[in-house]
Amino acid sequence: MDLNFTEADQKFRAEVVDFIKTNLPAEIADKVKHGKHLSKDDHMRWQQALGRKGWLVASWPKKHGGPGWTATQKYIFDNVCAEMNCPPIIPFGTKMVGPVIYTFGNEEQKQRFLPGIRESTVWWCQGYSEPGSGSDLASLKTRAVREGDHYIVNGSKTWTTLGQYAEWIFCLVRTDVNAKQQEGISFLLIDMKSPGVEVQPIIMADGGHEVNSVFFTDVKVPVENLIGKEGEGWTYAKFLLANERSGIAAVPQSKRGVESLKRIAASEQQDGKPLIQDGAFRDKIADLEIQLQALEFTELRILSSEAAGGAPGPEVSFLKIRGSEIQQRITELAVEAVGYYANPYLPGLLWQGSNEEPVGPAYATTAAPRYFNVRKTSIYGGSNEIQKNIIAKMVLGL
Amino acid sequence: MDLSLNDDQNMLKDSVERFVREQYAFETRRKNSATATGWLESNWAKFAELGWLGIPFSEDAGGLGWGTVETAIVMEQFGRGLVLEPYLATVLLGGEAIARGGSAAQQQAILPALIEGKKQLALAYAEKQSRYNLHDVTTSAKKEGAGYVLSGHKGVVFNGPSADHIIVAARTSGGQRDAKGVTLFLVDKNAKGLTRRDYPTQDASRASELTLDKVSVGADAVVGKVDDGFALLEEVIDRATVAVCAEAVGCMDALNAATHEYIKTRKQFGVPIGKFQVLQHRMVDMFTHAQESRSMVLMATLKIDDADAAVRRKAASAVKVQIGKSGRFVGQGAVQLHGGMGVTDELNVSHYFKRLTMIDSIFGNQQFHLTRYGQIMAEAA
């Protein structure tokens, strides 16, 4: 056992730092640092830079174009990216549909879709949840009926994150209404430009447009866009959800969040002294940092057993639970720290990239909107209640 | 002991409840919040007509001569509807400051017009560095001739954009954080040297930052006693704290009712999600929090008039601690149990959650009042 990085790891770290310094535009890093809204172009510029370097799909096997990193290298990469305020990598192509395609897709599909994901030239979004199917995903109703060489798709998806930018959507659809619930589901790739696809924005509590409803009316989808076998979509869906959960702990992002919280608390004044000198508030940050260490070392333990050949099991669910709780606590304390200046709401500054002066300190502008926004983290990707059910059943055998 | 409402109080409650039901459908509120001022003159005129603007003021001034029990009744119902009209700023902050500290001339000039719905007020006490300390005041008021010259900055002044007069806390003597030396001044919105930056708030209300650049006022602009403004300010804020806690109880009740309904009707896995025990227990905890909050508001309304200032201060802090804790629990729980819908702008749930969050952030948050309560408690020990 050794906590220190090897010389090779140190070298790798320096290489990552160097790459980011050269390739991440300062104005994008600044937006990330201050929790501001990122445009499609911001994401694309950064992801395409990573794509050109071959670093965008860090977890993919080498034969599909991954960099072939060790778990330690991935850990270093994620942490350096967060420390240096890189935009988060949009997971829908890279962490979700990409692995599904290279694991279950045919050769033609791999040739057709994987390069666009690796190079970030194609934006993907996720068609899983439906208005009536949230926690109970397998009850989904969007229908795909085979007619000759096509499926005709009718129905609707919801909570489609950044679907307004997407060129493609991967969808769970029901191809057999007579089979048992999970067995009638298939996994389809749908071109968003197909006639009959309509995207409607859903405005979030913080005022931002981040998620959408997607409606399908008699959408013709070629059968070659079916992944794997008809009726086996649920197997692929579960594979994908397990991947989604493992990244969801967001430890590097939370580390950055705690650092930013400390800076806020050092800057805010209370009775003429920095707020961080207030024992009660300082204790809260300390407690949070300790919680984050527990989460980080839990994730490292899992990573290390993975490196030794063990597959991550359902216990990754608690990474999601604790990760989301810690993200939420960071924002809760930021709201507490800024006091009255949590109140001003400046949509221009938050969403339209306007240059107006913030009302209070710059960091106060995003405090409350972030707090409202990250309530989603205990809801999405399988709510924390569902994650606890998974642990109770699959890990504890209850 | 009798903790039930009397006939007049029940009538008041019914009438505010009816107003909210008839005039504050969620989509109506959304439209009202998008108007230039963010609230409706016609609603304000109705408040005047029904006598609500005069509740805490003396009958001599044209008011009803009622007290905190009654203003809490109004505020609780306003909380249910997320009412946007600036009752808190005009009646409970500005109006109360004039009623409790103002000269006879100031009272005559302001209160009857306020009660008739013809005047809007705001109270400017916070500053960028002050946090919740009401006597951390850098805005200066220098004696010049018979009057004063005010210079400095005041932050997050609720109802600043609509106020005809703003009551400004400024330092007439002493060091930046001395309790002694703070004085309140009545400043006209058109006073030369006063500039405002107006903005909306997270909870769809309106506020302003004020810059005072050598604003001249007469000696008759002083509200209360020179150098003794802090005691008046603290008393007014303590009372407003209780009122805003009553509003929070209204928000919590509305959230709990919406959540209760949702978990009974939303089906997943073939059953209403309210059949799952883990959600039942969370709902029970939310219900309990709302009950305790209601109890603490009742306690505070009954103790706020105590002759002993320490009793009043402890009551205000105790109820604010309760509401900070419970508002967060109920707000977060309601969002969580509504799932994705809970974090949308479309559903009213997130709007109650935002208001509860902002209520914690004003007049001192949970932590501030826990510390304040502890200090008063320790002083007495």
Side-chain angles (χ1 to χ4, degrees):
Chain A
M1 251 188 259
D2 187 359
L3 243 186
N4 296 310
F5 293 124
T6 64
E7 208 167 301
D9 290 335
Q10 305 274 19
K11 230 179 112 188
F12 174 74
R13 190 178 202 286
E15 192 190 347
V16 175
V17 169
D18 225 40
F19 176 82
I20 296 171
K21 274 187 188 156
T22 321
N23 289 280
L24 179 66
E27 76 267 20
I28 297 180
D30 187 69
K31 284 187 185 177
V32 174
K33 185 176 178 185
H34 295 109
K36 286 190 194 162
H37 175 73
L38 294 166
S39 68
K40 179 182 185 182
D41 187 54
D42 292 334
H43 284 292
M44 282 303 210
R45 277 167 78 190
W46 171 236
Q47 293 198 171
Q48 287 174 1
L50 286 172
R52 283 190 296 274
K53 178 81 177 166
W55 284 1
L56 181 60
V57 290
S59 55
W60 292 20
K62 230 173 166 170
K63 65 170 174 175
H64 297 302
W69 286 342
T70 62
T72 309
Q73 285 176 309
K74 275 187 262 180
Y75 170 83
I76 291 171
F77 178 76
D78 288 344
N79 275 274
V80 174
C81 283
E83 280 162 26
M84 295 180 71
N85 302 307
C86 300
I89 292 170
I90 303 295
F92 307 108
T94 55
K95 286 192 179 160
M96 296 185 183
V97 76
V100 168
I101 292 172
Y102 68 63
T103 309
F104 303 106
N106 58 36
E107 267 321 302
E108 201 197 320
Q109 289 168 337
K110 290 179 204 170
Q111 298 292 334
R112 187 174 169 205
F113 294 111
L114 296 183
I117 298 172
R118 275 196 308 260
E119 292 153 22
S120 194
T121 50
V122 177
W123 192 297
W124 284 83
C125 67
Q126 181 182 29
Y128 266 37
S129 296
E130 296 182 6
S133 305
S135 289
D136 183 11
L137 184 59
S139 69
L140 60 93
K141 290 193 171 61
T142 295
R143 271 292 265 147
V145 179
R146 178 85 184 250
E147 277 184 19
D149 292 341
H150 288 85
Y151 287 101
I152 306 299
V153 178
N154 279 287
S156 64
K157 294 290 175 181
T158 193
W159 313 128
T160 307
T161 301
L162 302 180
Q164 70 267 38
Y165 301 150
E167 280 116 1
W168 282 81
I169 182 168
F170 56 92
C171 280
L172 292 180
V173 294
R174 188 161 298 286
T175 39
D176 185 348
V177 286
N178 299 315
K180 265 177 40 192
Q181 213 177 38
Q182 280 89 341
E183 288 164 14
I185 294 172
S186 300
F187 196 106
L188 266 191
L189 312 181
I190 302 178
D191 185 340
M192 294 289 278
K193 289 188 296 295
S194 315
V197 177
E198 196 203 336
V199 180
Q200 272 181 19
I202 299 173
I203 302 304
M204 297 277 278
D206 61 8
H209 174 199
E210 180 179 320
V211 290
N212 301 273
S213 301
V214 183
F215 299 93
F216 301 88
T217 312
D218 295 328
V219 177
K220 275 178 85 175
V221 181
V223 287
E224 61 260 30
N225 291 6
L226 175 77
I227 293 290
K229 292 200 186 111
E230 198 179 280
E232 293 198 356
W234 190 248
T235 310
Y236 316 145
K238 277 195 302 188
F239 167 86
L240 184 151
L241 281 176
N243 276 352
E244 185 185 1
R245 267 171 216 139
S246 61
I248 226 159
V251 171
Q253 289 79 4
S254 288
K255 279 189 191 169
R256 188 176 67 212
V258 170
E259 290 311 312
S260 147
L261 182 61
K262 286 187 217 165
R263 281 196 301 273
I264 294 173
S267 169
E268 283 292 311
Q269 299 290 300
Q270 176 172 276
D271 300 327
K273 290 193 289 278
L275 180 62
I276 201 158
Q277 287 178 24
D278 173 279
F281 194 74
R282 191 176 52 212
D283 285 357
K284 290 180 191 175
I285 304 181
D287 181 56
L288 180 61
E289 193 170 284
I290 292 164
Q291 291 182 43
L292 182 55
Q293 279 181 47
L295 179 65
E296 182 178 22
F297 274 81
T298 306
E299 195 178 36
L300 285 173
R301 273 203 302 127
I302 291 172
L303 276 178
S304 129
S305 78
E306 225 180 306
E315 68 272 14
V316 297
S317 283
F318 61 65
L319 295 180
K320 196 267 171 172
I321 296 170
R322 294 297 295 134
S324 61
E325 287 169 350
I326 287 169
Q327 281 172 276
Q328 293 176 337
R329 181 65 175 157
I330 292 169
T331 60
E332 207 170 83
L333 290 183
V335 170
E336 239 181 273
V338 302
Y340 273 102
Y341 283 94
N343 282 268
Y345 177 60
L346 305 172
L349 202 56
L350 282 169
W351 309 117
Q352 284 107 41
S354 84
N355 290 321
E356 68 183 303
E357 274 289 299
V359 169
Y363 51 72
T365 309
T366 51
R370 293 286 308 145
Y371 170 62
F372 301 140
N373 185 281
V374 303
R375 300 312 307 172
K376 72 188 177 189
T377 60
S378 52
I379 295 166
Y380 68 26
S383 71
N384 285 12
E385 289 85 354
I386 291 292
Q387 306 293 349
K388 287 184 186 177
N389 285 346
I390 291 172
I391 296 174
K393 197 170 158 188
M394 311 296 285
V395 182
L396 303 177
L398 296 171
Chain B
M1 190 167 60
D2 179 9
L3 299 180
S4 59
L5 300 180
N6 65 30
D7 288 349
D8 284 346
Q9 291 163 341
N10 269 316
M11 269 173 60
L12 174 66
K13 177 171 174 266
D14 290 347
S15 103
V16 189
E17 207 170 16
R18 193 177 325 115
F19 165 81
V20 168
R21 200 171 51 239
E22 290 171 359
Q23 305 297 325
Y24 255 89
F26 183 59
E27 289 310 314
T28 312
R29 175 188 187 266
R30 195 189 287 279
K31 280 194 210 110
N32 297 354
S33 74
T35 59
T37 54
W39 54 275
L40 293 192
E41 285 284 353
S42 57
N43 283 340
W44 198 256
K46 198 168 181 111
F47 293 2
E49 183 193 315
L50 293 167
W52 301 346
L53 301 180
I55 288 175
F57 306 122
S58 71
E59 291 173 56
D60 288 348
L64 297 178
W66 287 352
T68 308
V69 173
E70 289 81 8
T71 51
I73 289 171
V74 172
M75 289 297 281
E76 181 187 333
Q77 299 306 323
F78 281 1
R80 277 173 201 272
L82 291 172
V83 168
L84 296 159
E85 279 67 25
Y87 192 84
L88 177 69
T90 293
V91 177
L92 301 178
L93 292 173
E96 283 278 39
I98 297 292
R100 289 177 186 276
S103 64
Q106 285 167 341
Q107 296 196 7
Q108 275 162 21
I110 305 260
L111 294 181
L114 185 161
I115 293 164
E116 283 172 36
K118 303 277 195 287
K119 261 195 201 308
Q120 288 289 330
L121 300 182
L123 182 62
Y125 50 92
E127 295 186 356
K128 283 215 156 108
Q129 83 299 337
S130 70
R131 209 170 167 77
Y132 300 121
N133 182 346
L134 294 172
H135 52 77
D136 186 338
V137 177
T138 61
T139 297
S140 66
K142 298 229 156 44
K143 191 101 175 101
E144 201 174 284
Y148 294 84
V149 177
L150 278 57
S151 288
H153 171 271
K154 303 304 285 188
V156 196
V157 180
F158 295 109
N159 201 35
S162 294
D164 300 297
H165 305 280
I166 302 171
I167 297 157
V168 176
R171 183 155 292 287
T172 35
S173 71
Q176 183 185 323
R177 281 178 292 277
D178 290 350
K180 183 90 179 164
V182 177
T183 306
L184 302 186
F185 293 91
L186 186 62
V187 177
D188 190 90
K189 69 167 174 183
N190 296 317
K192 194 163 166 282
L194 174 68
T195 47
R196 290 195 327 258
R197 176 179 177 187
D198 299 341
Y199 50 82
T201 61
Q202 304 290 344
D203 46 8
S205 180
R206 303 295 166 92
S208 312
E209 299 296 290
L210 304 184
T211 305
L212 299 107
D213 181 18
K214 302 197 188 83
V215 174
S216 288
V217 295
D220 59 352
V222 172
V223 180
K225 292 197 196 99
V226 173
D227 287 347
D228 280 338
F230 166 63
L232 172 60
L233 195 55
E234 193 190 40
E235 188 190 348
V236 169
I237 300 270
D238 276 345
R239 288 172 175 278
T241 298
V242 179
V244 93
C245 288
E247 183 190 348
V249 168
C251 293
M252 285 187 233
D253 275 359
L255 273 179
N256 279 346
T259 308
H260 183 227
E261 182 61 27
Y262 185 77
I263 66 173
K264 282 200 299 183
T265 48
R266 166 76 175 176
K267 282 190 176 166
Q268 292 284 270
F269 306 103
V271 292
I273 59 173
K275 289 286 174 204
F276 297 113
Q277 203 172 39
V278 69
L279 302 196
Q280 289 175 358
H281 285 189
R282 186 142 180 185
M283 187 76 239
V284 169
D285 289 341
M286 289 160 67
F287 172 76
T288 306
H289 268 285
Q291 290 294 318
E292 288 179 323
S293 297
R294 177 175 294 286
S295 306
M296 288 300 273
V297 168
L298 175 69
M299 174 285 295
T301 54
L302 297 174
K303 290 191 175 180
I304 202 74
D305 290 315
D306 200 286
D308 181 354
V311 173
R312 182 200 80 215
R313 296 168 76 225
K314 265 178 87 176
S317 282
V319 69
K320 196 66 169 37
V321 168
Q322 179 74 49
I323 256 59
K325 186 165 53 179
S326 296
R328 185 183 275 179
F329 187 90
V330 171
Q332 294 181 350
V335 168
Q336 183 72 19
L337 295 198
H338 276 84
M341 288 307 293
V343 287
T344 65
D345 173 74
E346 183 190 333
L347 208 66
N348 60 12
V349 169
S350 68
H351 297 259
Y352 285 106
F353 174 49
K354 289 199 264 190
R355 179 61 189 149
L356 283 170
T357 304
M358 291 305 115
I359 285 176
D360 184 52
S361 82
I362 64 174
F363 305 149
N365 62 14
Q366 190 188 333
Q367 183 65 61
F368 172 87
H369 281 289
L370 189 62
T371 305
R372 183 183 186 232
Y373 186 97
Q375 280 164 353
I376 304 165
M377 188 181 77
E379 275 163 24

